[in-house]
Amino acid sequence: MAVSPNDMVAALLSAAQLTVDAHEFDTMVRDYPVIRAAADSLYLPELEFVEPAVTFDSRTAFLPV
């Protein structure tokens, strides 16, 4: 069962212990599906076990001169 944007925004605000006025709440409810879809589009399950192209090796990053 899908959760409505209204219920999801209310739950997220409650979990974060935030309060907003009615206008802000309505704006968040209106924008939630767009933001959720954008966040979901960033997930690429086929890359889960692929190492990132750029890695940071702290052992060699700050060698004394």
Side-chain angles (χ1 to χ4, degrees):
M1 180 175 158
V3 178
S4 73
N6 188 63
D7 292 341
M8 182 58 76
V9 169
L12 291 169
L13 289 170
S14 176
Q17 298 179 353
L18 297 174
T19 56
V20 297
D21 65 33
H23 176 71
E24 290 173 316
F25 184 81
D26 292 341
T27 300
M28 290 178 187
V29 169
R30 183 194 69 221
D31 294 343
Y32 178 78
V34 174
I35 294 169
R36 179 76 258 169
D40 289 344
S41 74
L42 297 174
Y43 177 64
L44 302 172
E46 65 274 14
L47 298 178
E48 184 173 349
F49 300 107
V50 176
E51 185 174 343
V54 177
T55 60
F56 176 76
D57 186 354
S58 62
R59 296 170 296 173
T60 62
F62 299 105
L63 292 177
V65 181

